[in-house]
Structures are given as C-alpha cells and as structure tokens.
Amino acid sequence: MFANRVLSGMRPTGALHLGHYHGVLKNWVRLQHEYECLYFVADWHALTTHYDTPDVIERHVWDMVIDWLASGIDPAQATLFIQSRVPEHAELHLLLSMVTPLGWLERIPTYKDQQEKLAEKDLATYGFLGYPLLQSADILIYRASMVPVGEDQVPHVEFTREIARRFNHVFGREEGFEQKAEAAIKKLGAKRARLYRQLRTKFMEKGDAEALAAARALVEEAQNLPMGDRERLFGYIEGGGKVLLSEPQALLTEASRMPGLDGQKMSKSYDNTISLREDADSVAKKIRTMPTDPARVKRSDPGDPAKCPVWQFHLVYSDDKRKEWVQQGCRSAGIGCLECKQPVIDAVLEEQKPMRERAERYVADPTLVRSIIADGCEKARKLAQETLREVKEAMGLIYS
Ligand code: TRP
Ligand code: SF4
C-alpha cells in the first residue's frame, strides 16, 4: 500500500533447474519491468532445515545468484541481496516474536508437513518453528505490497497479514490518536479532507472496498504529509490505530507445467532435472535417454503421447503444428522416439543459449556478482532500517 513494491526470496538449494525457470524466474523477470522489485537469497531459511551442511551454503548462494542473472533478472531493474547481509530482518523477527502466539506457528500446514517429509532430520527446533515468522519479517520490513510465491507459500503470506494486523493493533495505538488523525486530515487541504471523510464514512458504514482503496490512494498521493500522519490516516480509514506494518498480498504464481525427465514434477530430490546452465551434450544425452511410452518397444509399435513424458515437454516447447506431428506420428508409429525428441532437445538448447551467454561474464569474473550483491544489500538495508526505526519507536525502544 505504501508503494507497489514486490518482494520475494528463494532458499539457496544449489544450481537451479528449468522447473525454477518456468515456475518462478520467468515471472520475476516480468515483474521487474512493472514494479519496484526486491529479490533475495533466503540463506537463513536454508539453515532452518540444512543447518548440518554449512560447508555448501556459500557455493549455493553464488550459483543461485548467477542463475538469476542468467535468467534475465537485471540488477539495474531489481534489487538483489542476501538475507543475512541485512541483519535488520533478524531484529524485526525478534521483535515480532514478542506478540506471536505459539499456536499460530504450530498451526501453519508446512510446519507438520515438512517435519514429516524430512523425517530424517531433527526439525523440532526453535528456528524451524519460527520459519514463517522470519519470512514475515522479510516481507514486512520492506512494506512489500506483493509477494510472488507458489501455492505452498500462500499460508505464510496469510500468516504475515495476521502478524501485521496484530502488530498494528498492539503497537499502533497512541495517546490521542483520534485528535491526531483529525489534525492530519486538515493538513490534506479542504477539498481532499472532505473527500477523505466521505470515503471513510462509506467504508466504515457500508464496508465499501472501493471506497477503502480510493481513500488509501488519496493518502498515498499526499506525499508532503509527514510519515507519521500518513500512517495515521491509513489506519483511521478503518477506524484503528496507525498502520505501522502494511499487509502484503500473495501474487500466486501459476504452477509450473515443466515436468521432470521422468514425467514427475521436476525436482532435485527426484533426480530428474535439467539445470539452467547444463552443458549442451549433457542436455542432449538426458533427453535422448528419457523414458517414453512403454508400449513402444519396437520402432513399429504405435504409442500414446499421453503415456509419455516427452509429450509433456512438447506441451511446453512446441507449437500446434509440431504437437500435431507428434500425435500423428506416435499413434501411427510414423516417427521414432529419437526423432520425436530431437525438436525438444533443440528447443531446450535454444532456451538455454541466452542464459549461458549472460552467465559467462559472471562466471569468468565473480567480483561482478559480489559487487551487484553489495549494492543490493546496501539499498535493501536503507529501506529496512527505516521500517525498523518506526517499529522500535512504536515499541518504546528508542532511548535518547
Ligand atoms: N519460504 C520461501 C520458499 O521456500 C522463501 C522465502 C523466504 C520467501 N522469505 C521469503 C518468499 C519472503 C517470499 C517472501 O520458497
Ligand atoms: Fe513419446 Fe514421442 Fe515416442 Fe510417442 S513418439 S512415445 S510421444 S517420444
């Protein structure tokens, strides 16, 4: 609500693959042209589950940043940084923890799910329980309005909204709030003040969502008001106290249609991936040895694309004409499987070509990547410090 700011993070889990590209990165690239975007490496989040392998984390971090750049994330458009280099996230996490009910954390579906899925790890830890709250701090510290995430992360964004509301409720109350809000309205000027009051009444009496949005936009435009007054006016529309932390929206990323080499979802844990910058020979070999419809034992046996993982790749990479060629040729045994796979190999290599090219200079000169991240961290820190200062003030922690 303060600005159309987009924030998202990714845990550094090693080289990214085409599933990440089609599922997440393409979307990030698109958003960077439309909004102010902040993208970060969630290295602390990686530690919550992989605290026992500190030796690989650094390599994973830099590999991932290169993969982002290779995908077309442009450091001139988006701010790229590393979570642990902005320690303000941790401070906000701690402060938020004071008003976070344990039950809220225990109820989040990923908590029990992941503990069961990763049964070989001891995840009965304080850090793992706090995973979603750390994520809330990541989001709230930038007052991000949109958080592009996959479906599994939506409960975390929902939780973040609840935390923001709770925080505002507990700490947004101030002595004489009503009078201060009324005084702030007057500073809007007569015309806007009248409009603000009308919209506020409309929202308070009828719950009119458009009135709420219009009133917020009006306050948003009043750039010359002091920050404190703007927060009061945002909060006053809805009756409550100041809006110290704004509620983000999840921007649901459509599930990637990118299948793995075996037809399951592409995932490192299934060992069925093609990594973003995998070399051409390896890509060709992996696709050539992909399983096909088991009914096609001999070249002359007809097959059914619906039973073949290669067809899933055609759905991602081929136009209608080629899809028709596959359907026809497979069902009539008119084409062989290797023949069918060749255009897929070509399409994947074609897609990867600009990625390999973009990555080249970063691989050759790692200091370029270091400096992009150093710049991003500095920018992010400035924003984070602003919010943290206001949070501490509201919590009575600014001592003079
Ligand atoms: N939990 C997210 C994931 O596993 C990563 C993440 C950490 C994140 N902090 C975030 C995503 C803040 C969005 C916003 O994918
Ligand atoms: Fe799969 Fe193509 Fe072979 Fe049919 S022809 S089984 S779609 S690889």
Side-chain angles (χ1 to χ4, degrees), residues 344-364:
V344 171
I345 295 173
D346 296 340
V348 171
L349 293 179
E350 183 68 22
E351 179 170 72
Q352 288 176 317
K353 202 169 150 222
M355 299 191 201
R356 281 200 209 88
E357 283 167 8
R358 284 193 208 100
E360 225 166 89
R361 48 197 275 255
Y362 299 117
V363 174

Side-chain angles (χ1 to χ4, degrees), residues 14-150:
L16 300 183
H17 51 66
L18 291 176
H20 294 112
Y21 179 68
H22 286 274
V24 184
L25 292 170
K26 261 196 328 199
N27 195 37
W28 283 16
V29 170
R30 187 173 52 78
L31 288 166
Q32 73 183 350
H33 303 296
E34 296 171 32
Y35 302 106
E36 176 190 359
C37 289
L38 297 151
Y39 300 131
F40 73 97
V41 182
D43 55 345
W44 282 332
H45 277 108
L47 276 186
T48 63
T49 51
H50 291 70
Y51 51 81
D52 52 352
T53 50
D55 45 319
V56 296
I57 194 159
E58 174 166 15
R59 185 164 47 82
H60 287 179
V61 167
W62 296 123
D63 282 351
M64 186 165 84
V65 175
I66 294 179
D67 282 338
W68 289 359
L69 297 165
S71 299
I73 306 272
D74 176 1
Q77 307 255 12
T79 303
L80 309 183
F81 65 99
I82 298 172
Q83 184 183 39
S84 67
R85 292 263 184 96
V86 187
E88 285 77 9
H89 291 223
E91 191 170 349
L92 182 60
H93 179 201
L94 174 88
L95 295 175
L96 294 175
S97 78
M98 305 303 168
V99 293
T100 302
L102 267 182
W104 288 16
L105 287 167
E106 287 161 346
R107 267 204 311 274
I108 297 181
T110 45
Y111 179 58
K112 290 242 157 59
D113 289 358
Q114 290 289 99
Q115 278 187 342
E116 280 164 24
K117 236 193 218 159
L118 303 174
E120 75 284 2
K121 294 210 163 119
D122 178 10
L123 293 183
T125 58
Y126 182 57
F128 186 66
L129 178 68
Y131 185 115
L133 188 64
L134 178 58
Q135 185 163 353
S136 300
D138 297 337
I139 298 169
L140 296 173
I141 204 152
Y142 300 105
R143 294 171 155 149
S145 50
M146 286 170 282
V147 184
V149 284

Side-chain angles (χ1 to χ4, degrees), residues 234-283:
F234 278 127
Y236 196 51
I237 308 170
E238 297 167 79
K242 288 208 263 187
V243 175
L244 295 159
L245 298 175
S246 51
E247 291 178 40
Q249 298 282 350
L251 257 190
L252 190 59
T253 319
E254 236 181 277
S256 164
R257 289 186 308 138
M258 191 68 214
L261 291 161
D262 56 0
Q264 299 186 80
K265 181 182 156 178
M266 188 176 281
S267 160
K268 212 171 99 181
S269 50
Y270 298 145
D271 196 18
N272 63 358
T273 63
I274 296 176
S275 48
L276 284 192
R277 294 178 279 130
E278 189 153 337
D279 69 70
D281 290 344
S282 168
V283 172

Side-chain angles (χ1 to χ4, degrees), residues 292-293 296 305 308 310 326 330 335 337 340:
T292 59
D293 177 357
R296 291 205 76 177
C308 176
V310 179
V326 174
C330 181
I335 57 171
C337 289
C340 179

